Amino acid sequence: MFSKNAKFTTTTSLTPEKTSNQRNLVKGLVTAIGLALVTGPLSAQEGLSDDKVRIGVLSDMSGVYKALEGPGAVVAAQMAVEDFGGKIMDKPIEIVSADHQNKPDIGASTAREWIDADQVDMITALDNSSVALAVQGLASDKKVITMNTGAGTTALTEEQCTPYGIHYVYDTHALPVGTATAMVKNGGESWFFITADYAFGHSLQQNTADVVKELDGEVVGNVNAPLGTTDFSSYLLQAQSSGADVIGLANAGQDTVNAIKQANQFRIVQSGQKLAGMLVFITDVKSMGLDIAQGLQFTTAFVWNQDEEKQEWSQRFYDRHGAMPTMVQAGVYSAVTNYLKAIEEVGTDDSDAVRKQLGEMKLNDMFVKDGEILANGLMLHDMYLVEVKKPDESGDDWDLLRVVSTIPAEDAYIPLSETQCPLVNK
């Protein structure tokens, strides 16, 4: 094999005609070798890079977000592979998983090992915004696609967008569009926030506050609570003493459950203030029970029994996981499915080719209808404003929500014309 430093010489004993022919031959060889060095083997962009597709599910497997994504995300990914047929282009599809422990350094080091040593082709889940930003940046530097289903910060598709980063299920702009708008229009004009003290919480508070102010409401105060807080009493007392119409919970998972349960003990709602759960999952409602959660409104991307297709898939998920799927677990199934469809369509797992195809596809499955992935990585789709049912309205243990209204995709998300993503030419 020729080295790119190879040198070619001609001898002065050749005749002028032979010398000219020799030089033409050498010129042709050098051109061909140079082209090969630039483009690599012709088959490099075709087929699977290591005769398999390996997908990493990186989630909170043991902490405050375990129930909302965690092991259930692995189940959803496995179901996607099985429903796809277990193979792609007659090669195996593998799922690997790990616990990021809600620590960006652990998430990034896991992703680096997966990519460098284990040849992971795509990473999904990532249910913590600080972890998600760290992993998306690292993976993009290595030209690996991330399909984020669990984190909320808009930074993923705004100022920290990347060529290979996709934000799939929801973001902190879409959540308040439905919830905050409904509450302000129903008299909740002044707000006080209890905020998870990291990227997700601050992003959610800011985006919700923007919606409140646009509707001529006001924010009268806020307090930050560490991730994993178990005692919200001091934060709730500050919110209660503020006199705000609405106490906005800019947190998620067990933090939200703990805050709402303790607010009920303080009889905050009974005293006239309203609670706004800015990110609530069906597992949270189940944990609280309808007696406590009834009447709570929030925005979601998925309701398991909204139609027959969702219900059929959700029942299969329940049979394996023991709980109905959250929107992010359903999102993992959809993300993995559409990633595999893109590979099959282009005939390669090359990230550039797959990302381009994902951007050209209409996404249709049990989770999303007519979804599309924009140039900044945002997956554009409808959202739903829902309300928790009263106990006498529920038909069974998981019949917990009713859809109040559909929020069209174009209303839910930041328009591409207004994005701060540097990859987008506006």
Side-chain angles (χ1 to χ4, degrees):
M1 181 176 179
F2 290 107
S3 165
K4 63 181 178 181
N5 297 317
K7 296 181 180 179
F8 298 88
T9 58
T10 58
T11 175
T12 56
S13 63
L14 294 173
T15 65
E17 181 179 357
K18 289 182 178 180
T19 301
S20 176
N21 291 338
Q22 186 79 4
R23 286 174 177 166
N24 288 337
L25 176 61
V26 170
K27 182 178 179 181
L29 285 169
V30 172
T31 301
I33 293 166
L35 183 61
L37 289 169
V38 171
T39 63
L42 291 178
S43 62
Q45 302 302 313
E46 300 175 359
L48 304 182
S49 55
D50 56 350
D51 284 333
K52 64 179 175 291
V53 169
R54 181 170 286 173
I55 295 168
V57 179
L58 186 55
S59 188
D60 177 2
M61 302 293 183
S62 57
V64 294
Y65 300 150
K66 175 183 177 180
L68 64 90
E69 195 159 63
V74 180
V75 172
Q78 291 169 338
M79 288 176 65
V81 171
E82 291 166 12
D83 289 351
F84 198 79
K87 291 186 176 182
I88 186 165
M89 298 161 58
D90 205 34
K91 303 294 183 181
I93 306 167
E94 298 178 359
I95 300 294
V96 297
S97 64
D99 185 351
H100 57 55
Q101 301 176 43
N102 291 301
K103 297 178 180 178
D105 56 338
I106 291 177
S109 63
T110 301
R112 182 180 292 108
E113 181 179 354
W114 276 357
I115 295 167
D116 292 345
D118 300 332
Q119 296 180 297
V120 165
D121 300 292
M122 188 272 277
I123 300 173
T124 190
L126 299 167
D127 47 3
N128 176 299
S129 289
S130 298
V131 172
L133 290 167
V135 172
Q136 177 172 285
L138 180 146
S140 191
D141 287 344
K142 296 175 178 292
K143 297 186 176 183
V144 168
I145 291 173
T146 52
M147 300 184 77
N148 192 302
T149 58
T153 179
T154 54
L156 289 162
T157 53
E158 291 295 302
E159 59 270 21
Q160 295 190 52
C161 68
T162 69
Y164 304 99
I166 295 170
H167 201 176
Y168 205 82
V169 174
Y170 74 98
D171 67 19
T172 54
H173 183 275
L175 296 174
V177 167
T179 309
T181 298
M183 299 199 77
V184 173
K185 289 183 176 179
N186 285 316
E189 296 180 356
S190 61
W191 287 60
F192 184 99
F193 289 96
I194 298 176
T195 303
D197 194 13
Y198 75 108
F200 156 73
H202 297 300
S203 179
L204 184 52
Q205 177 188 317
Q206 183 60 56
N207 281 279
T208 306
D210 289 345
V211 172
V212 170
K213 292 172 184 176
E214 285 172 7
L215 296 170
D216 296 326
E218 64 173 332
V219 176
V220 298
N222 73 280
V223 61
N224 296 328
L227 180 66
T229 296
T230 56
D231 184 0
F232 279 86
S233 57
S234 64
Y235 309 121
L236 288 166
L237 288 172
Q238 290 181 62
Q240 191 173 39
S241 64
S242 73
D245 298 326
V246 179
I247 300 171
L249 301 177
N251 51 19
Q254 193 59 44
D255 286 353
T256 299
V257 172
N258 288 337
I260 292 176
K261 283 184 175 179
Q262 290 168 36
N264 185 65
Q265 293 170 4
F266 281 102
R267 299 186 63 79
I268 285 177
V269 174
Q270 293 88 335
S271 300
Q273 288 177 297
K274 298 177 181 178
L275 282 179
M278 301 315 303
L279 178 56
V280 179
F281 296 87
I282 191 171
T283 46
D284 302 330
V285 176
K286 180 66 174 174
S287 176
M288 288 182 279
L290 294 184
D291 286 338
I292 292 175
Q294 61 181 302
L296 181 68
Q297 291 190 343
F298 59 93
T299 301
T300 185
F302 181 81
V303 179
W304 74 268
N305 55 354
Q306 189 176 7
D307 59 49
E308 288 185 7
E309 188 179 14
K310 290 179 172 63
Q311 189 166 349
E312 185 277 332
W313 181 85
S314 298
Q315 186 61 54
R316 289 197 292 125
F317 179 89
Y318 176 87
D319 291 343
R320 297 174 63 155
H321 185 59
M324 285 299 175
T326 65
M327 65 173 172
V328 295
Q329 290 164 341
V332 167
Y333 177 89
S334 178
V336 171
T337 297
N338 284 296
Y339 175 72
L340 295 173
K341 285 181 179 178
I343 292 176
E344 188 173 59
E345 186 66 27
V346 296
T348 177
D349 59 0
D350 174 74
S351 292
D352 290 305
V354 173
R355 176 62 182 89
K356 182 175 184 294
Q357 178 63 23
L358 284 167
E360 295 173 351
M361 292 166 53
K362 280 289 187 181
L363 310 183
N364 285 288
D365 53 40
M366 65 85 200
F367 173 78
V368 61
K369 300 301 178 191
D370 293 325
E372 57 181 314
I373 297 173
L374 305 182
N376 62 352
L378 175 67
M379 201 275 271
L380 196 64
H381 60 285
D382 293 346
M383 299 288 287
Y384 306 97
L385 178 65
V386 299
E387 182 175 277
V388 178
K389 291 182 175 182
K390 297 176 182 178
D392 60 4
E393 296 173 334
S394 174
D396 58 50
D397 286 349
W398 286 92
D399 180 25
L400 306 175
L401 310 175
R402 67 177 184 88
V403 176
V404 176
S405 62
T406 298
I407 306 164
E410 59 269 22
D411 295 337
Y413 293 96
I414 298 172
L416 203 57
S417 62
E418 297 177 13
T419 185
Q420 301 303 306
C421 174
L423 300 174
V424 178
N425 295 320
K426 294 178 287 182

